[in-house]
Amino acid sequence: MSLPHAWTPVAGGLSIAVRVTPRGGRDAIEGLGHDADTRPHLKLRVAAAPVDGDANDAVEKLVAKWLGVPRSHVEVTAGLTLRLKRVLVDGDPVQLARRAQAKLLETTA
């Protein structure tokens, strides 16, 4: 089964669109969502407040844990002060995309 995905393979990694709910009470990836233009994104919730980059740090840690990569391989690259963000994960784009698809299937099962 193939789901729509919120990521794009890029040179040296995977770019992932995310929508973050800060002060969400816990850190979790809650599945796939869509914006007003029907573009998919991962729905994330983090316990951290959006103060001094704490929520962005929590997003990076959560995505790293979700994909099983070192925290140093994940960076919020766009939307630093917005709910809609772009996260870059360094690594093999094909392996990362496969892992993300499998994890998303687990989340929606």
Side-chain angles (χ1 to χ4, degrees):
M1 175 176 157
S2 180
L3 294 172
H5 47 78
W7 50 84
T8 305
V10 295
L14 200 64
S15 179
I16 305 173
V18 300
R19 184 177 193 285
V20 180
T21 301
R23 291 190 192 121
R26 61 191 167 92
D27 293 349
I29 294 180
E30 298 184 323
L32 193 65
H34 294 87
D35 66 14
D37 295 329
T38 69
R39 288 181 297 237
H41 57 258
L42 285 181
K43 296 186 296 183
L44 278 63
R45 140 182 330 269
V46 295
V51 178
D52 297 329
D54 291 348
N56 289 333
D57 289 343
V59 165
E60 291 171 354
K61 289 175 189 170
L62 179 59
V63 171
K65 182 178 178 184
W66 188 66
L67 288 175
V69 300
R71 160 66 182 77
S72 61
H73 289 203
V74 180
E75 179 183 6
V76 174
T77 58
L80 293 173
T81 60
L82 305 172
R83 286 180 181 250
L84 287 173
K85 302 179 183 295
R86 184 61 65 174
V87 177
L88 180 63
V89 183
D90 292 334
D92 180 311
V94 174
Q95 286 183 342
L96 290 170
R98 285 183 183 150
R99 194 172 308 150
Q101 187 73 26
K103 289 294 200 173
L104 188 57
L105 285 170
E106 288 175 16
T107 302
T108 58

